[in-house]
Amino acid sequence: MRGRQVAVVGMGGVFPSCASLSEFEEKLFTNQSLIREWELATNFGKQLRSSVCGFVTLEEAGLEAVYSRSNPAYPEHYFDLKKRIPLQHTATADIGSIWAMLSSLDAIAMAKWEQDAVQSERTGVTIGSGGGGHEVLRQAWNSFFHNGKKSRSIGGHGVDRAMGYRDAANVSCLIKNKGICEGMGSACATGLGNIGYAYRMIKFGLQDRMLAGGVEGTSIETFVGFDAMSVLSRGYLPAESSRPFDRTRNGFVCSFGGAVVALEELESARARGAEIIAVIDGYFNNSDGDGDMFAPSFEGQQRLWKGLRSEVPTLHPEVVKVHGTSTPVGDGIELFSTIDALGETGYHIAAPKSQFGHMLGAAGSVEFIACLLMLKNQKTTPCLNANWLAETLEPVQEMEDWQGTQKTVSEFRHLLPTAAVATPIHQLVSLNYGFGGTNSGIILSRHGSN
Amino acid sequence: MTREEALAGIVEVLKTIKMANPKGLKNITEESDFIADLGLPSTELINIVAKAEDQFDLEFDDDDIDDLGSKVKDTVDLILKTAEAN
C-alpha cells in the first residue's frame, strides 16, 4: 500500500560531549570522537572491565540534580537551569525523559508547529528507551529491600519516573497533544523502531504529525549489565575505543543520549511552507526467526534488504548508515549483507557509532539525525578507526552454510572511509538491529530527489 | 516536641520540595494548605510525609496517612501524635 508521503521537518537531541545540535554536527564532519573516560565507571575500579563512554554531563545539558537527604545517591528531582521545562514536568521525569522533552521542544521549534497543531488530535508521540529506569529503581529497591524502609521513602514518583513509556508520557504531558502517546521497545533498534512506527501512523492516515525517537538516560546500572556480558570495548584510548570494521575491534562503547524528530504528512508540510529536511521513502522491519537472542543473522538481514527494496523498488542509496557497533561478530555480517543487497561499489558506508559509541535505545534516533545531517551537508560521516581491515575471512564466512561473499573485509576498503567524505547524497539507508533478533531499516531522501 | 518545632521542621522539609510556591513558603502557618497555598499537586503530599518521617525520625501509621488532610496543621498533628506514642 502506497499511502501518504512523510516528511521530516524538525529534530532535536542531547548528544555526548556536545552542548547543541550544531556542535554535534560540527564534530561529526570533522572526524571527532565524542567518547571519553567516564569517571562514574572508573570509580568502580576493577569491578568493571570497561570505563569509556559517550555521555553528556548535567552541566552540559543545562540541568542540576537535587538529591534526597535520606538517600544521597537518589536524584529525586532534576532542575532545568535554563527554564525550558516547568518544574511539575521535571518532577515526573528521570534523566532520559528530560532529554526526551528537551529534544521534543527543539524538534517542534525547528518544525515551526503552532500550538494548535501540536495540541490537536492529529499529533502523536512515540518515544522509547532501551533501559528500564534502573537509576530510579535501584535506589527504590535498596531503600525498601535492603534498608527495610517504608515504600514511601522513595517518594511518590517511583512509577512515573521508571515506567516503560515514561519518555513518551512525559513529552505528551508537556506538549499536551491529543493524539496517540506510546513507546515502542526493540532494544538497540528502539530509536529507529519508534520513527518507523510514527512514519506508518502518518503514512496510513492515523496521524498527521508525530514526534518520534528514542533516549537512553545515563545509567551506570545499564553500563554494568553490558560490562557483565564482556561485550564492551576495552584497552584503547577513548577516541580509539569504538572501531567498527577494524580487525582489532573488541566490543562496543556503551553510550547515553537521545534524539527526537518531528514528522509530518508531506503535502501539509509543503502547504504551510515548512522546510522539508528529508522525505522518508520507506521503512521495513523483521525478525531473524532463528531462536537466537544475540547473534546477528545474515539471512535475517537479507530479508530486511528485500523488504526495503519492496518499499522502494528503485533503491539506490549513496550512503548506508550501518548499525556498526564495533563488536567482533556483528560488523562483518552487516557489511556482507549490505554488499549482498547493493553490490560492491557505488555507495559509502557510514558508521557513526565509531564517533559517539552505542546509545542503545537512542542509537536509532541519534543516528537518524546523523543521516539528516549527511543529507544536509552532502557528506558522509566516517568509519573512524577502521584502520586495519582483516585480510582473512571472518569466522562466519568459514561456516558450512555461508551464502555470502568469500572476499575479506579488506577488499572493501573503498566502502569504508575513515574520514568524512563530500559526495552527492540523494538517498540513504539507515539500519539498526537489537537483541531478540530484531532488524530495522529506513530509507531517506532529499526532498525532490524522486 | 512543641507545635512550633513541628512547624519549623515542616518548613525545612518544604524547602526541599522544589515545586512549592516560593511566595507561599515565606508565610507558612498551620492554616496554610499544601495544595491551595503552596501550589503543590496532590501527588507531592506523600513526598512531604516521607520527608517529615525522615526529618523527625518517626514512622507514621499507614491509616493516619490515608486520612491526612492537606493543611499544614494536619501534618503537625500527625507528627505530635506519633512522637507522643513513641
Side-chain angles (χ1 to χ4, degrees):
Chain A
M1 186 186 297
R2 179 164 171 79
R4 306 191 298 174
Q5 287 189 284
V6 179
V8 184
V9 292
M11 61 178 132
V14 175
F15 310 105
S17 304
C18 296
S20 66
L21 175 65
S22 58
E23 185 178 351
F24 179 64
E25 180 176 8
E26 193 264 333
K27 287 181 172 175
L28 281 187
F29 295 106
T30 51
N31 311 310
Q32 295 186 50
S33 171
L34 313 182
I35 296 166
R36 297 177 280 186
E37 195 77 18
W38 193 22
E39 187 180 359
L40 197 54
T42 56
N43 285 346
F44 285 93
K46 289 186 175 179
Q47 282 184 276
L48 289 170
R49 293 174 73 251
S50 179
S51 59
V52 290
C53 178
F55 61 95
V56 59
T57 65
L58 290 175
E59 187 180 16
E60 286 164 344
L63 302 169
E64 181 182 318
V66 178
Y67 290 91
S68 166
R69 286 197 305 181
S70 59
N71 185 356
Y74 181 61
E76 63 179 14
H77 198 156
Y78 289 102
F79 239 157
D80 178 10
L81 296 173
K82 297 180 180 175
K83 300 185 185 305
R84 297 158 292 187
I85 307 173
L87 280 169
Q88 70 265 31
H89 294 291
T90 55
T92 59
D94 69 331
I95 191 67
S97 300
I98 288 180
W99 292 350
M101 290 190 278
L102 293 176
S103 302
S104 296
L105 292 176
D106 286 346
I108 290 170
M110 187 181 289
K112 295 186 170 62
W113 286 347
E114 300 288 345
Q115 182 171 302
D116 286 353
V118 171
Q119 298 184 351
S120 86
E121 293 180 50
R122 302 293 298 172
T123 299
V125 174
T126 177
I127 301 169
S129 178
H134 311 312
E135 183 197 34
V136 170
L137 291 175
R138 179 164 73 106
Q139 299 304 331
W141 291 341
N142 275 344
S143 181
F144 183 82
F145 290 110
H146 295 292
N147 300 333
K149 292 193 175 184
K150 302 285 283 188
S151 60
R152 59 179 170 265
S153 66
I154 200 68
H157 293 295
V159 174
D160 40 291
R161 299 180 80 207
M163 62 185 176
Y165 92 128
R166 60 195 178 279
D167 314 295
N170 274 287
V171 168
S172 184
C173 288
L174 175 69
I175 67 169
K176 300 184 177 67
N177 71 304
K178 298 186 183 69
I180 70 148
C181 173
E182 294 175 291
M184 304 290 113
S186 50
C188 301
T190 294
L192 185 56
N194 279 276
I195 294 170
Y197 177 73
Y199 159 74
R200 288 170 176 166
M201 294 298 287
I202 297 173
K203 175 178 179 177
F204 298 127
L206 300 172
Q207 300 277 261
D208 293 331
R209 286 165 296 275
M210 292 289 295
L211 286 171
V215 296
E216 199 67 54
T218 312
S219 164
I220 188 69
E221 298 81 5
T222 297
F223 192 96
V224 169
F226 287 108
D227 194 82
M229 298 175 73
S230 298
V231 294
L232 299 184
S233 175
R234 68 192 296 259
Y236 287 102
L237 294 170
E240 298 172 356
S241 54
S242 186
R243 41 196 322 111
F245 304 109
D246 186 89
R247 73 182 179 202
T248 63
R249 66 190 184 273
N250 63 16
F252 73 85
V253 172
C254 182
S255 295
F256 305 102
V260 171
V261 291
L263 308 184
E264 184 172 355
E265 192 274 318
L266 178 61
E267 288 310 318
S268 74
R270 256 190 201 147
R272 67 180 181 85
E275 181 187 349
I276 312 295
I277 300 168
V279 176
I280 299 178
D281 296 328
Y283 173 74
F284 192 81
N285 58 339
N286 69 359
S287 296
D288 290 339
D290 59 5
D292 194 311
M293 174 64 74
F294 307 112
S297 161
F298 182 74
E299 189 272 338
Q301 292 178 19
Q302 278 183 310
R303 283 188 285 105
L304 176 69
W305 276 106
K306 184 180 173 187
L308 289 170
R309 200 172 288 285
S310 73
E311 290 277 298
V312 180
T314 57
L315 184 66
H316 187 67
E318 289 93 351
V319 175
V320 178
K321 191 291 297 167
V322 292
H323 194 54
T325 56
S326 182
T327 53
V329 175
D331 296 352
I333 291 178
E334 188 173 22
L335 174 64
F336 301 143
S337 68
T338 300
I339 290 164
D340 182 73
L342 298 179
E344 298 184 357
T345 58
Y347 58 96
H348 286 99
I349 286 177
K353 285 187 184 73
S354 66
Q355 293 178 276
F356 49 65
H358 189 348
M359 280 181 249
L360 313 171
S365 58
V366 173
E367 292 166 17
F368 187 91
I369 285 184
C371 291
L372 297 174
L373 297 174
M374 286 188 239
L375 278 176
K376 174 189 166 191
N377 287 274
Q378 292 291 287
K379 284 182 182 173
T380 178
T381 62
C383 302
L384 212 61
N385 301 313
N387 300 325
W388 301 288
L389 303 183
E391 295 174 357
T392 55
L393 293 177
E394 297 288 301
V396 69
Q397 292 174 289
E398 299 190 283
M399 296 177 74
E400 266 184 29
D401 58 349
W402 174 246
Q403 299 288 318
T405 181
Q406 284 295 332
K407 293 184 177 179
T408 64
V409 173
S410 65
E411 293 179 75
F412 300 106
R413 171 82 277 172
H414 56 286
L415 299 180
L416 302 165
T418 55
V421 177
T423 183
I425 306 173
H426 300 92
Q427 185 183 66
L428 57 76
V429 169
S430 184
L431 304 168
N432 289 103
Y433 317 112
F435 282 0
T438 185
N439 310 304
S440 57
I442 202 161
I443 308 161
L444 285 171
S445 67
R446 296 180 85 182
H447 183 40
S449 289
N450 293 330
Chain B
M1 186 188 307
T2 65
R3 296 192 74 84
E4 288 72 23
E5 287 170 334
L7 178 61
I10 292 172
V11 170
E12 287 305 304
V13 164
L14 288 170
K15 286 179 182 173
T16 72
I17 307 281
K18 295 301 176 187
M19 276 192 284
N21 178 351
K23 287 182 183 171
L25 272 178
K26 287 181 180 170
N27 303 302
I28 291 179
T29 69
E30 287 200 31
E31 289 304 315
S32 300
D33 189 289
F34 293 125
I35 297 171
D37 298 319
L38 292 174
L40 292 169
S42 59
T43 49
E44 288 304 313
L45 297 187
I46 194 65
N47 291 336
I48 295 172
V49 167
K51 284 169 179 272
E53 285 181 308
D54 186 53
Q55 175 84 9
F56 295 103
D57 196 20
L58 297 171
E59 184 173 305
F60 303 141
D61 187 87
D62 290 347
D63 289 338
D64 289 336
I65 291 177
D66 289 345
D67 298 335
L68 193 65
S70 62
K71 291 207 167 187
V72 171
K73 71 178 179 186
D74 299 321
T75 302
V76 170
D77 288 341
L78 178 59
I79 291 166
L80 294 176
K81 174 186 169 185
T82 308
E84 279 177 23
N86 282 352

